[in-house]
Amino acid sequence: MRGATHAKWAACAVTVALAATACGGGGSGSGDGSGVVRSSWGDPQNPVEPANTNEVQGGKVLDMLFRGLKKYDPKTGEAKDFIAEKIETTDSQNFTVTLKDGWEFSNGEKVTAKSFVDAWNYGAHVDSKQNNAPFFSNIKGYDEVHPESGAAKAKTMSGLVVKDDKTFTVALQDKFSTYPETLGYQAFMPLPKSFFDDHDGWLSKPVGNGPYTVESYAKGSEMKLRAWDGYKGDDKAQNDGVDLKVYTDNNTAYTDLMAGNLDLVDDVPAQQLKNVKNDLGDRYINQPALIIQTLVFPMYDKNWSKAGMEKVRRGVSMAINREEITKGIFQETRTPAKDWTSPALGDKGGYKDMCGDACKYDPDEAKKLVAEGGGLPGGKVTISSNVDTGSHRVWMDAVCNSINNALGKGSCTVNPIGTFADFKNQLGAYKFTGPFRSGWQADYPLIQNFLQPLYYKNASSNYGKFDNKEFNDLVDKANQEADQAKAVTDFQNAQKILAEQMPAIPLWYQNGSAGYSENVSDVSLNQFSVPVYDQIKVN
């Protein structure tokens, strides 16, 4: 998915929630003097709640509603203590978390150690049916609350203990040296008592501890967020609010931006890339991000997972001309992938060419490998993706054309799915019989996050159901390694398994792109390509 929490001190010392006047009395993003930023958006798959949201659109809302133990620097991605005063350990397995004073939820409840522990236990419990439950799987007692089958044997995880209002401890099942750096991810946000007392009511109007509150949400239309004047953080909103407007076609959003009906589009459509610099000038943002696009094979389908099919999967990868597609369609906003992570990690973070020849266009070798592996199941490969955002139909057609050119006419077809929500529902139901798009936006800037959630057995976003013991063991070894350089090497070795088995085809790394109107300023994207909404000023 998806994103993290970011911001900076606001220009106005106090921003009144739902106020009608902007800071400084300039123009208005919404056109009515309110100082509200109007931004394009897509409906989340599920109601917005920390442990159940694992996609970008819902993550944008959580970015504004919540603050956690850690906060990721919007420029560097560094995990810095935020609500945590300190997180201490002597063995990389048992951690003591101490909270800062003064934090509250927007309904007046205090943020305490219990706010975190109750939220994590809820997120982990099998009865809660939360998408992000596996993020708690390394805590002792997780197996008791979330068994692989059958009913839970406990209500809470034994590894979480509240010591007092400001302190709680976390005991992990194994050593995990970089565990504190994961705690800025949204699954680990605190929850107020009202979440548990009236869950349905909370879902209809979420209450958090971040710089914004939800004023209203009309599914399929718009969510209105307003700056919270009681927010205690040093990153108060610099605007009066953000209206997230739902678009099923980002070309329409771009047209509205150019017409002055929108202030921010954070996904410039491929069709407009040739015009965007002339249209927007320095109001166009194009920067590297912690994002990779892949095609995932349904390893739960015996046609794709039987012996010998690794050659077919590798052959399909080598039939894709990444250089031609990224240059022809994406106009410098994509880079051909050479591994399963992101260049934004840097060399020390583990980025390295781990895919080798398997990610290079070689139609002759592609055809040979597919034949040696027994051929494409049913004689063709069908690529699936949602087509409501991200110019996905354009690149799907280009990828299929490339495969058809390499393997023969009729070797590839596309399966366009109207909405992201429908696409995600089909992913979760494991219905696909051919490769499907996976756009992975890191939860936190660690190489582990590009590998474990996607390819580890039963991981939260392992929608292809890949399961390889050698890969799993290398990930476990890396997580327990106290030496960061050695851990990175272990993760790179795990990628060698991916290169051999090709459960997912790396396509390209994605830049964050956005365009904004003259009505707003101080617009930026964080390393996860999410707008830093609370830094935006309305002119």
Side-chain angles (χ1 to χ4, degrees):
M1 108 95 285
R2 3 325 153 201
T5 55
H6 314 290
K8 183 180 176 182
W9 183 261
C12 296
V14 177
T15 304
V16 180
L18 312 183
T21 305
C23 306
S28 168
S30 62
D32 61 4
S34 66
V36 173
V37 179
R38 302 163 301 172
S39 181
S40 63
W41 190 49
D43 264 323
Q45 176 196 15
N46 301 307
V48 175
E49 55 184 322
N52 206 33
T53 297
N54 65 349
E55 40 78 27
V56 176
Q57 304 304 332
K60 293 174 185 176
V61 177
L62 293 177
D63 277 345
M64 292 187 269
L65 292 183
F66 284 94
R67 292 294 181 263
L69 297 173
K70 292 276 189 176
K71 172 184 170 182
Y72 299 114
D73 185 280
K75 292 183 179 180
T76 67
E78 179 186 356
K80 298 180 179 179
D81 288 339
F82 204 65
I83 291 181
E85 181 72 43
K86 55 187 176 180
I87 301 175
E88 299 173 297
T89 184
T90 58
D91 60 5
S92 296
Q93 186 170 358
N94 296 280
F95 298 83
T96 299
V97 180
T98 305
L99 306 182
K100 295 176 181 175
D101 288 320
W103 279 89
E104 295 180 351
F105 294 100
S106 61
N107 64 357
E109 292 184 40
K110 293 185 179 301
V111 177
T112 66
K114 194 172 186 296
S115 307
F116 285 95
V117 170
D118 286 352
W120 295 10
N121 277 319
Y122 173 83
H125 202 282
V126 66
D127 291 347
S128 302
K129 299 179 180 178
Q130 300 289 282
N131 283 321
N132 289 329
F135 279 91
F136 305 103
S137 62
N138 48 13
I139 298 174
K140 283 186 177 179
Y142 176 81
D143 292 343
E144 297 291 306
V145 302
H146 202 117
E148 288 191 14
S149 62
K153 299 176 183 177
K155 291 184 178 180
T156 60
M157 291 181 284
S158 58
L160 295 178
V161 179
V162 174
K163 296 297 186 180
D164 54 48
D165 278 356
K166 288 182 58 180
T167 313
F168 68 98
T169 57
V170 185
L172 303 182
Q173 299 185 52
D174 298 294
K175 292 183 178 181
F176 187 4
S177 60
T178 56
Y179 180 69
E181 295 178 47
T182 72
L183 299 179
Y185 178 50
Q186 293 156 347
F188 299 105
M189 295 300 110
L191 288 169
K193 188 173 180 290
S194 62
F195 175 91
F196 304 99
D197 293 342
D198 181 11
H199 189 220
D200 289 342
W202 190 96
L203 289 178
S204 67
K205 198 170 184 179
V207 172
N209 64 328
Y212 292 92
T213 61
V214 175
E215 182 185 70
S216 63
Y217 176 36
K219 187 172 179 60
S221 177
E222 184 176 36
M223 178 179 282
K224 294 178 179 288
L225 297 108
R226 295 297 178 261
W228 172 35
D229 64 336
Y231 178 64
K232 298 297 194 297
D234 63 359
D235 54 348
K236 286 178 177 283
Q238 297 187 22
N239 49 65
D240 287 346
V242 179
D243 286 351
L244 297 173
K245 298 177 179 290
V246 175
Y247 287 85
T248 57
D249 182 349
N250 59 352
N251 283 287
T252 305
Y254 188 85
T255 299
D256 276 357
L257 174 68
M258 297 307 300
N261 300 320
L262 201 62
D263 297 311
L264 174 61
V265 172
D266 66 341
D267 185 8
V268 176
Q271 295 91 325
Q272 300 298 337
L273 291 174
K274 62 182 180 296
N275 305 318
V276 66
K277 290 181 181 178
N278 288 332
D279 288 344
L280 299 175
D282 60 6
R283 289 182 285 111
Y284 168 56
I285 300 171
N286 177 29
Q287 66 184 49
L290 291 163
I291 305 175
I292 185 172
Q293 299 282 341
T294 64
L295 281 177
V296 179
F297 287 97
M299 302 299 283
Y300 50 82
D301 186 326
K302 63 181 180 181
N303 290 319
W304 283 106
S305 60
K306 62 186 178 182
M309 289 304 289
E310 66 276 4
K311 288 187 175 182
V312 177
R313 297 190 297 267
R314 186 180 179 95
V316 173
S317 176
M318 298 180 75
I320 299 172
N321 193 332
R322 295 163 180 79
E323 291 282 351
E324 184 176 272
I325 294 170
T326 53
K327 288 179 180 178
I329 293 176
F330 293 117
Q331 304 285 318
E332 300 179 349
T333 64
R334 306 289 191 277
T335 306
K338 298 180 179 180
D339 78 338
W340 285 261
T341 69
S342 165
L345 287 175
D347 294 342
K348 289 184 178 180
Y351 172 66
K352 186 179 181 181
D353 182 353
M354 301 300 301
C355 191
D357 290 342
C359 284
K360 294 176 181 176
Y361 181 58
D362 188 337
D364 292 336
E365 183 66 15
K367 203 166 188 175
K368 177 184 174 185
L369 285 169
V370 170
E372 288 178 355
L376 298 172
K380 66 178 181 180
V381 58
T382 299
I383 297 173
S384 298
S385 173
N386 62 301
V387 292
D388 50 343
T389 60
S391 308
H392 298 313
R393 182 56 194 261
V394 179
W395 69 255
M396 286 169 71
D397 287 339
V399 166
C400 258
N401 287 338
S402 182
I403 292 173
N404 285 328
N405 289 336
L407 302 182
K409 187 177 180 181
S411 297
C412 183
T413 60
V414 299
N415 173 33
I417 297 169
T419 67
F420 179 69
D422 188 18
F423 176 63
K424 283 283 286 184
N425 287 334
Q426 291 188 48
L427 278 182
Y430 306 103
K431 290 185 175 181
F432 293 119
T433 58
F436 48 86
R437 179 186 72 85
S438 174
W440 185 253
Q441 176 179 306
D443 306 305
Y444 37 84
L446 296 175
I447 186 174
Q448 176 265 353
N449 189 239
F450 282 93
L451 301 178
Q452 186 165 352
L454 292 162
Y455 307 112
Y456 194 89
K457 182 181 180 180
N458 295 329
S460 58
S461 294
N462 185 357
Y463 289 112
K465 290 290 185 180
F466 178 64
D467 182 12
N468 180 280
K469 186 179 185 303
E470 187 177 357
F471 176 88
N472 297 337
D473 289 346
L474 282 166
V475 169
D476 289 339
K477 181 184 176 188
N479 283 336
Q480 296 175 41
E481 179 60 68
D483 185 307
Q484 294 297 301
K486 290 182 180 178
V488 164
T489 299
D490 290 335
F491 281 121
Q492 289 173 334
N493 288 334
Q495 284 195 79
K496 291 180 181 178
I497 307 300
L498 300 182
E500 293 169 2
Q501 296 296 315
M502 200 60 69
I505 296 173
L507 292 176
W508 38 74
Y509 309 116
Q510 181 175 327
N511 280 10
S513 69
Y516 58 96
S517 75
E518 294 178 344
N519 292 326
V520 294
S521 59
D522 292 271
V523 180
S524 63
L525 302 177
N526 61 32
Q527 276 210 328
F528 308 90
S529 86
V530 173
V532 188
Y533 289 105
D534 42 36
Q535 286 187 354
I536 300 173
K537 297 177 186 176
V538 178
N539 300 325

